[in-house]
Amino acid sequence: MSFADRIKALFRKEASDEGLFDDLADLLVEGDLGPSLSIAVAEELRAACREKTIRGDDAIRRELKSILMRYGRQVDLVPIAGKLNIFLVLGVNGVGKTTTCAKLADHFRQEGLAQGVILAAGDTFRAAAADQLRIHGERLGIRVVAQAPGADPGAVLWDAIDAARSDGADLVIADTAGRMHTRNDLMRELGKMDKIISTRAEGSNYRRLLVVDSTTGQNGLRQAETFGSAVTIDGVVLTKQDSTAKGGMAIALAKEYGLPTAFVGTGEGYGDIAPFSLDGFLDGFLGL
Ligand SMILES: Nc1nc2c(ncn2[C@@H]2O[C@H](COP(=O)(O)OP(=O)(O)OP(=O)(O)O)[C@@H](O)[C@H]2O)c(=O)[nH]1
Ligand SMILES: [Mg+2]
C-alpha cells in the first residue's frame, strides 16, 4: 500500500477518534519525517482540527498539507545564462551521483538551459568511475573531462573549468567519489576540492548538490549533517523516489538542516529526473 493510501485509510477509519493523531505521528515516522517532526506535525494538526473545527478526511488531509508546506523547502537550481555554471554532485556511495550527473546534463540541454555542457569525472577513486561517466557522455554526445585513476579530483575540476572556458561551454557538471560521511579524511578532502573550485571558478555560478537515496530513511539526515558541515549545500537531489512508498525525507531535511530539495530522481533512465515541487510532492504524498 502506498503511503498516500495509508494516510487516506487512517483518516477515513478514525476521523472522530482521539487516537487518530497518535497513529498519524507513527505513520509520519514511517514516512521518514523523523520522530520529533512527526510528533510536532501531528500535534499541530490536532490543535488545528479542534480550533477550526475541521471535519471530513479530505479537509483534514488538506490541513495536514498546509502544515507540511510550512516545513518543506524547494529550490530552483538552474544554470544562469551568460555565466559559467558549475554543479558539483556529492553524496555517499551508491546513492546515484553518476547517474544524476548524466540526467542533469541531458535535462538542462533539453530544456535549453545550457548551451554547452561538460561532464567532469571527479571520481578518481574508483577505477571504473570515469568509464561509467564516459559511457553516459558517448550516449548523450557530451564531452567528458577525465584523468587517470588516482588523480587529484581538484585537478580534474580545474581541467574541466578550463575546457569549458575554451569550448565556450556554460555548464560543468562534476561527479565525485562516493564518500563515507563517517570518514573525516574524505570529508576534509572534499573541503579542499571545494576551495579549489571556488578559487578557479570565481565569478561563476558554483552550486553543490547533495544526492540522497530516498530509500535510506533517517541515515540520509546524518549524511546531510556531515556533508553540510564540510561544504555549503545548495540543494538536495532525492533519488530512487520510484523505489520507496514513503519519501518524506525532503521535509525532514528542510526542517532539520534548512536544506531545500532541487530535484527528484524517479528511475534509471535519463528522463527520470524532475525539478522538485513541494506542492506537487505533498499532493502525491498525502493522496490529494
Ligand atoms: N530506481 C532508481 N535507480 C536509480 C536512480 N538513480 C540512480 N539509480 C541506480 O542506482 C545505482 C547506482 O547509481 P550510480 O549513479 O552509479 O551511483 P553513485 O552514487 O555514482 O555510486 P558510487 O559512484 O559507487 O558512489 C545504479 O544502478 C543506478 O541506475 C533512481 O532515481 N531510481
Ligand atoms: Mg559514481
Side-chain angles (χ1 to χ4, degrees):
M1 209 201 265
S2 74
F3 186 81
D5 286 339
R6 295 179 66 191
I7 284 275
K8 275 189 196 165
L10 176 76
F11 288 129
R12 220 176 287 131
K13 201 173 59 193
E14 308 180 59
S16 58
D17 182 349
E18 267 296 296
L20 167 72
F21 297 100
D22 297 333
D23 292 347
L24 174 64
D26 290 344
L27 192 50
L28 292 174
V29 171
E30 284 182 49
D32 280 340
L33 257 71
S36 61
L37 179 57
S38 296
I39 292 167
V41 166
E43 285 309 315
E44 272 183 56
L45 185 63
R46 187 203 301 267
C49 284
R50 197 180 299 132
E51 279 156 29
K52 303 187 199 167
T53 53
I54 296 168
R55 298 236 162 71
D57 56 329
D58 282 349
I60 296 180
R61 272 183 299 132
R62 276 198 299 276
E63 184 66 28
L64 176 56
K65 178 185 172 183
S66 78
I67 292 170
L68 291 174
M69 283 294 287
R70 291 201 297 274
Y71 287 108
R73 287 188 66 192
Q74 71 181 57
V75 64
D76 239 359
L77 273 189
V78 290
I80 297 174
K83 270 191 183 252
L84 176 59
N85 297 274
I86 300 159
F87 286 12
L88 186 70
V89 176
L90 307 166
V92 303
N93 294 290
V95 287
K97 295 176 297 298
T98 307
T99 311
T100 296
C101 287
K103 284 179 178 178
L104 286 176
D106 189 46
H107 170 79
F108 289 133
R109 209 176 44 172
Q110 297 253 0
E111 296 286 309
L113 293 167
Q115 304 314 310
V117 187
I118 285 184
L119 286 165
D123 181 357
T124 56
F125 185 71
R126 221 162 36 82
D131 290 337
Q132 193 188 346
L133 201 63
R134 274 196 200 96
I135 292 169
H136 286 304
E138 271 164 29
R139 284 188 195 143
L140 293 168
I142 289 174
R143 180 173 173 193
V144 175
V145 171
Q147 290 186 11
D152 178 358
V156 177
L157 264 297
W158 187 285
D159 266 8
I161 293 166
D162 281 352
R165 289 197 169 118
S166 62
D167 280 13
D170 54 357
L171 176 61
V172 173
I173 298 179
D175 193 16
T176 59
R179 55 196 80 228
M180 297 297 294
H181 53 299
T182 47
R183 287 269 306 271
N184 286 334
D185 49 342
L186 291 179
M187 296 311 292
R188 259 199 307 278
E189 185 196 89
L190 175 59
K192 221 177 75 188
M193 181 170 37
D194 185 57
K195 273 211 194 81
I196 292 176
I197 303 170
S198 303
T199 312
R200 187 62 182 162
E202 226 198 306
S204 68
N205 176 38
Y206 171 36
R207 301 283 165 206
R208 305 142 188 103
L209 279 84
L210 180 68
V211 180
V212 177
D213 179 337
S214 315
T215 67
T216 55
Q218 294 302 296
N219 199 8
L221 287 182
R222 283 192 288 280
Q223 294 164 19
E225 183 181 16
T226 325
F227 276 85
S229 62
V231 296
T232 307
I233 304 293
D234 297 291
V236 172
V237 181
L238 273 181
T239 56
K240 310 188 192 182
Q241 196 81 13
D242 53 305
S243 314
T244 174
K246 6 192 201 177
M249 185 66 78
I251 311 293
L253 288 168
K255 165 68 169 52
E256 297 301 327
Y257 303 109
L259 282 178
T261 298
F263 290 95
V264 177
T266 51
E268 299 188 82
Y270 294 128
D272 297 328
I273 194 160
F276 175 72
S277 148
L278 180 60
D279 188 74
F281 163 73
L282 287 176
D283 282 349
F285 191 59
L286 302 175
L288 285 163

